[in-house]
Amino acid sequence: AQSVTQLDSHVSVSEGTPVLLRCNYSSSYSPSLFWYVQHPNKGLQLLLKYTSAATLVKGINGFEAEFKKSETSFHLTKPSAHMSDAAEYFCVVSPTNDYKLSFGAGTTVTVRA
Amino acid sequence: NAGVTQTPKFRVLKTGQSMTLLCAQDMNHEYMYWYRQDPGMGLRLIHYSVGEGTTAKGEVPDGYNVSRLKKQNFLLGLESAAPSQTSVYFCASSQLAGETQYFGPGTRLLVL
C-alpha cells in the first residue's frame, strides 16, 4: 500500500523568496516519487522524478527535491519564487516499475508581487 | 508532436445522458490512463490500459466504461451521467509501467 500526504494545502510567498512544499509518503515498496505542477485550467506537467539514483533531484524551472528515506519525505524547494510559479503542485508516489500512481491532495502556491 | 490530446475541452450534460471522451497520444505509448480530479482529492484512477485491446479497472471505475481499439486512442464512456460525475477528467500515457506519465489538458464535465 502507498499513500502521500502534502502537509500544506496552500502556500503563499513573495516573489524572489524561497518556496518549500512539504510531502511525506508511505510505501510498502521502494518507491518512485514525482512532483507535478498544474497551472490554472491546464494539464499536469512533470517537474521532477526520483527513482533511487541521487537523493537530490533537480527539475525544471529551478525546482529541486530531496529524498529522505529516514523521514519518508520528498520536499520540493525553489530558491527564488517567480510569479509564473503560481500553480497547484502534486506530490505523487508509485512503487518502482508499477503503473499505479498515488496522488497527494495538492498544494496551491500563490506568489505575491 | 502534440503529446496527449483530449476531446472535448468542456461539456455540460443532463442527468441520464451519455457521452464519450476521447484521448489520443502520438508518442506510441503502451499504457494509457483515465483519471478524475476533484477538489482536495488529487487525481484518482478510473480505468487504464496496458496495450491495444486491453482495459482494466482502477480505483473508481463505477459508472464508466472504456475501450482501446487502437493503440493511440483511449475512450472513456459515461452511459448514464450522474451529478456525482461532475469533475475534471485527465487522460495520461506512459511507455511502460513506472515510467513518467504524460497528461492531456483535461476535459471539464458538468452534469446537471
Side-chain angles (χ1 to χ4, degrees):
Chain A
Q2 60 206 20
S3 66
V4 177
T5 302
Q6 291 184 242
L7 298 169
D8 308 289
S9 59
H10 185 246
V11 169
S12 179
V13 298
S14 297
E15 191 175 22
T17 64
V19 181
L20 169 65
L21 305 183
R22 299 180 295 165
C23 173
N24 286 347
Y25 71 92
S26 67
S27 177
S28 303
Y29 305 95
S30 177
S32 293
L33 292 155
F34 309 79
W35 277 99
Y36 280 86
V37 61
Q38 183 182 27
H39 288 93
N41 299 313
K42 300 290 186 184
L44 279 74
Q45 179 185 18
L46 180 69
L47 275 179
L48 49 81
K49 175 181 178 182
Y50 166 78
T51 54
S52 75
T55 56
L56 185 62
V57 183
K58 293 190 184 299
I60 61 172
N61 300 335
F63 284 94
E64 63 182 34
E66 186 172 10
F67 173 70
K68 290 187 176 180
K69 186 175 181 179
S70 61
E71 299 177 11
T72 61
S73 68
F74 191 56
H75 300 336
L76 181 71
T77 60
K78 182 173 180 178
S80 176
H82 191 271
M83 297 299 289
S84 62
D85 296 327
E88 188 159 20
Y89 293 78
F90 292 97
C91 183
V92 182
V93 65
S94 169
T96 301
N97 298 325
D98 194 305
Y99 71 90
K100 181 169 173 51
L101 302 183
S102 293
F103 283 78
T107 298
T108 300
V109 173
T110 57
V111 182
R112 303 184 302 272
Chain B
N1 190 342
V4 179
T5 57
Q6 294 182 231
T7 309
K9 288 185 170 57
F10 176 70
R11 184 77 182 267
V12 179
L13 288 180
K14 294 181 179 178
T15 297
Q17 287 185 318
S18 63
M19 78 164 294
T20 300
L21 283 67
L22 172 63
C23 175
Q25 52 96 4
D26 61 4
M27 296 174 281
N28 202 34
H29 284 171
E30 293 293 333
Y31 284 66
M32 296 187 74
Y33 315 83
W34 275 108
Y35 293 90
R36 61 177 288 172
Q37 182 182 31
D38 301 294
M41 299 184 73
L43 274 70
R44 294 180 292 168
L45 183 65
I46 304 171
H47 285 281
Y48 66 99
S49 167
V50 302
E52 181 178 320
T54 74
T55 63
K57 294 180 180 180
E59 185 183 353
V60 288
D62 293 342
Y64 305 95
N65 56 74
V66 288
S67 64
R68 183 115 180 256
L69 299 179
K70 294 183 178 181
K71 186 177 183 178
Q72 64 268 34
N73 295 338
F74 195 30
L75 278 64
L76 178 71
L78 285 72
E79 290 186 347
S80 179
S84 61
Q85 294 178 303
T86 292
S87 188
V88 182
Y89 292 85
F90 287 99
C91 177
S93 71
S94 66
Q95 179 53 30
L96 295 171
E99 294 196 357
T100 299
Q101 293 187 19
Y102 295 87
F103 286 81
T107 295
R108 194 170 297 269
L109 177 65
L110 175 62
V111 182
L112 301 175

